[in-house]
Coordinates of all heavy atoms in Angstrom, one line a residue:
L1 N 109.8 48.3 -205.5 CA 110.9 48.5 -206.4 C 111.5 47.1 -206.7 O 111.4 46.2 -205.9 CB 112.0 49.3 -205.7 CG 111.6 50.7 -205.2 CD1 112.8 51.4 -204.6 CD2 111.1 51.5 -206.4
S2 N 112.0 46.9 -207.9 CA 112.6 45.7 -208.3 C 114.0 46.0 -208.9 O 114.3 47.1 -209.3 CB 111.8 44.9 -209.3 OG 111.6 45.7 -210.5
C3 N 114.8 45.0 -208.9 CA 116.2 45.1 -209.3 C 116.6 43.8 -210.0 O 116.5 42.7 -209.3 CB 117.1 45.4 -208.1 SG 118.8 45.6 -208.5
A4 N 117.0 43.8 -211.2 CA 117.4 42.6 -211.9 C 118.9 42.5 -211.9 O 119.7 43.5 -212.2 CB 116.9 42.7 -213.4
A5 N 119.4 41.3 -211.6 CA 120.8 41.1 -211.5 C 121.3 40.3 -212.7 O 120.6 39.4 -213.2 CB 121.2 40.3 -210.2
S6 N 122.5 40.6 -213.2 CA 123.2 39.9 -214.2 C 124.5 39.4 -213.6 O 125.4 40.2 -213.3 CB 123.5 40.7 -215.4 OG 124.2 40.0 -216.4
V7 N 124.5 38.1 -213.3 CA 125.7 37.5 -212.6 C 126.6 36.7 -213.6 O 126.1 35.8 -214.2 CB 125.2 36.5 -211.5 CG1 126.4 36.0 -210.7 CG2 124.2 37.2 -210.6
R8 N 127.8 37.1 -213.6 CA 128.7 36.5 -214.6 C 129.4 35.3 -214.1 O 129.7 34.4 -214.9 CB 129.8 37.6 -215.0 CG 129.2 38.7 -215.8 CD 130.3 39.6 -216.4 NE 129.8 40.7 -217.2 CZ 130.6 41.5 -217.9 NH1 131.9 41.4 -217.9 NH2 130.0 42.5 -218.6
T9 N 129.7 35.3 -212.8 CA 130.3 34.1 -212.3 C 129.5 33.7 -211.0 O 128.8 34.5 -210.5 CB 131.8 34.3 -211.9 OG1 131.8 35.4 -210.9 CG2 132.6 34.7 -213.1
S10 N 129.6 32.5 -210.6 CA 128.9 31.9 -209.5 C 127.4 32.0 -209.7 O 126.9 32.0 -210.9 CB 129.3 32.6 -208.1 OG 128.9 33.9 -208.1
A11 N 126.6 32.2 -208.7 CA 125.2 32.2 -208.8 C 124.6 33.3 -208.0 O 125.2 33.8 -207.0 CB 124.6 30.9 -208.4
F12 N 123.4 33.8 -208.4 CA 122.8 34.9 -207.7 C 122.6 34.6 -206.2 O 122.8 35.5 -205.3 CB 121.5 35.2 -208.4 CG 120.7 36.4 -207.8 CD1 121.3 37.7 -207.7 CD2 119.4 36.3 -207.3 CE1 120.7 38.8 -207.2 CE2 118.8 37.4 -206.8 CZ 119.4 38.6 -206.7
E13 N 122.2 33.4 -205.9 CA 122.0 33.0 -204.5 C 123.3 33.0 -203.6 O 123.2 32.9 -202.4 CB 121.3 31.7 -204.4 CG 122.0 30.6 -205.1 CD 121.4 30.3 -206.4 OE1 121.0 31.2 -207.1 OE2 121.3 29.1 -206.8
D14 N 124.4 33.2 -204.2 CA 125.7 33.3 -203.5 C 125.9 34.7 -203.0 O 126.8 35.0 -202.2 CB 126.9 33.0 -204.4 CG 126.9 31.5 -204.7 OD1 126.3 30.7 -204.0 OD2 127.5 31.2 -205.8
Y15 N 125.0 35.6 -203.3 CA 125.1 37.0 -203.0 C 124.1 37.5 -202.0 O 122.9 37.2 -202.1 CB 125.0 37.9 -204.2 CG 126.1 37.8 -205.2 CD1 126.2 36.7 -206.1 CD2 127.2 38.7 -205.2 CE1 127.2 36.6 -207.0 CE2 128.2 38.6 -206.1 CZ 128.3 37.5 -207.0 OH 129.3 37.4 -207.8
T16 N 124.5 38.2 -201.0 CA 123.6 38.9 -200.1 C 123.1 40.2 -200.9 O 123.9 40.8 -201.6 CB 124.3 39.4 -198.8 OG1 124.7 38.2 -198.1 CG2 123.3 40.2 -198.0
V17 N 121.8 40.5 -200.9 CA 121.3 41.7 -201.6 C 120.8 42.7 -200.6 O 120.5 42.4 -199.5 CB 120.2 41.3 -202.6 CG1 120.8 40.3 -203.7 CG2 119.0 40.7 -201.9
G18 N 120.8 43.9 -201.0 CA 120.4 45.0 -200.1 C 119.8 46.2 -200.9 O 119.8 46.2 -202.1
W19 N 119.3 47.1 -200.1 CA 118.7 48.4 -200.6 C 119.2 49.5 -199.7 O 119.3 49.3 -198.5 CB 117.2 48.4 -200.6 CG 116.6 47.5 -201.6 CD1 116.3 46.1 -201.4 CD2 116.3 47.8 -202.9 NE1 115.8 45.6 -202.6 CE2 115.7 46.6 -203.5 CE3 116.3 49.0 -203.7 CZ2 115.3 46.6 -204.8 CZ3 115.9 48.9 -205.0 CH2 115.4 47.8 -205.6
F20 N 119.6 50.5 -200.3 CA 120.0 51.8 -199.6 C 119.2 52.9 -200.2 O 118.6 52.8 -201.3 CB 121.5 52.1 -199.9 CG 122.5 51.2 -199.0 CD1 122.6 49.9 -199.3 CD2 123.2 51.8 -198.0 CE1 123.5 49.1 -198.5 CE2 124.0 51.0 -197.2 CZ 124.2 49.7 -197.5
R21 N 119.3 54.0 -199.5 CA 118.6 55.2 -200.1 C 119.5 56.4 -199.7 O 120.2 56.4 -198.8 CB 117.2 55.4 -199.6 CG 117.1 55.7 -198.1 CD 115.6 55.7 -197.6 NE 115.5 56.1 -196.3 CZ 114.3 56.1 -195.6 NH1 113.2 55.7 -196.3 NH2 114.2 56.4 -194.4
Q22 N 119.3 57.5 -200.6 CA 120.0 58.7 -200.3 C 119.1 59.9 -200.6 O 118.7 60.1 -201.8 CB 121.3 58.8 -201.2 CG 122.2 59.9 -200.9 CD 123.5 59.8 -201.6 OE1 123.7 59.0 -202.5 NE2 124.5 60.5 -201.2
A23 N 118.8 60.6 -199.6 CA 118.0 61.8 -199.7 C 118.9 63.0 -200.1 O 120.1 62.9 -199.9 CB 117.3 62.1 -198.4
H24 N 118.3 64.0 -200.7 CA 119.1 65.1 -201.2 C 119.9 65.7 -200.1 O 119.4 66.1 -199.0 CB 118.1 66.1 -201.8 CG 118.8 67.3 -202.4 ND1 119.7 67.2 -203.5 CD2 118.9 68.6 -202.0 CE1 120.1 68.4 -203.8 NE2 119.7 69.3 -202.9
G25 N 121.2 65.9 -200.3 CA 122.0 66.5 -199.3 C 122.4 65.6 -198.2 O 123.1 66.1 -197.2
K26 N 122.1 64.4 -198.2 CA 122.4 63.5 -197.1 C 123.2 62.3 -197.6 O 123.3 62.0 -198.8 CB 121.1 63.0 -196.4 CG 120.3 64.0 -195.8 CD 119.1 63.4 -195.0 CE 118.4 64.5 -194.2 NZ 117.2 64.0 -193.5
E27 N 123.8 61.6 -196.6 CA 124.6 60.4 -197.0 C 123.7 59.2 -197.3 O 122.5 59.2 -196.9 CB 125.5 60.0 -195.8 CG 126.6 61.0 -195.5 CD 127.6 60.6 -194.5 OE1 127.3 59.5 -193.9 OE2 128.6 61.3 -194.2
R28 N 124.3 58.3 -198.1 CA 123.5 57.1 -198.4 C 123.3 56.3 -197.2 O 124.3 56.0 -196.4 CB 124.3 56.3 -199.5 CG 123.5 55.2 -200.1 CD 124.2 54.6 -201.3 NE 124.4 55.6 -202.4 CZ 124.8 55.3 -203.6 NH1 125.1 54.1 -203.9 NH2 124.9 56.3 -204.5
E29 N 122.1 55.8 -196.9 CA 121.8 55.1 -195.7 C 121.2 53.7 -196.0 O 120.5 53.5 -197.0 CB 120.9 55.8 -194.8 CG 119.5 56.0 -195.4 CD 118.5 56.7 -194.4 OE1 118.9 56.9 -193.2 OE2 117.4 56.8 -194.7
F30 N 121.5 52.8 -195.2 CA 121.1 51.4 -195.3 C 119.6 51.3 -195.1 O 119.0 52.0 -194.2 CB 121.8 50.6 -194.2 CG 121.3 49.2 -194.1 CD1 121.6 48.2 -194.9 CD2 120.4 48.8 -193.0 CE1 121.1 46.9 -194.8 CE2 119.9 47.6 -192.9 CZ 120.3 46.6 -193.8
V31 N 118.9 50.5 -195.9 CA 117.5 50.3 -195.7 C 117.2 48.8 -195.3 O 116.5 48.5 -194.3 CB 116.7 50.6 -197.0 CG1 115.3 50.2 -196.9 CG2 116.9 52.1 -197.4
A32 N 117.7 47.9 -196.1 CA 117.5 46.4 -195.8 C 118.5 45.6 -196.5 O 119.1 46.0 -197.5 CB 116.1 46.1 -196.3
A33 N 118.6 44.4 -196.0 CA 119.5 43.4 -196.6 C 118.8 42.0 -196.4 O 118.1 41.8 -195.5 CB 120.9 43.4 -195.9
L34 N 119.2 41.1 -197.4 CA 118.6 39.8 -197.4 C 119.6 38.7 -197.7 O 120.4 38.9 -198.7 CB 117.4 39.7 -198.3 CG 116.6 38.4 -198.4 CD1 115.9 38.2 -197.0 CD2 115.6 38.5 -199.5
S35 N 119.7 37.6 -197.0 CA 120.6 36.6 -197.3 C 120.4 35.9 -198.6 O 119.3 36.0 -199.2 CB 120.6 35.6 -196.1 OG 119.3 35.0 -196.1
G36 N 121.4 35.2 -199.0 CA 121.3 34.5 -200.3 C 120.1 33.5 -200.4 O 119.5 33.4 -201.5

């Protein structure tokens, strides 16, 4: 999976990025995160 960011202020590397998932009928759950 890929995700394109459009950053209006500061820089993309100033943001921690992550992925979550949500199965049907369940809460959204953390998958992974990555530092700037």
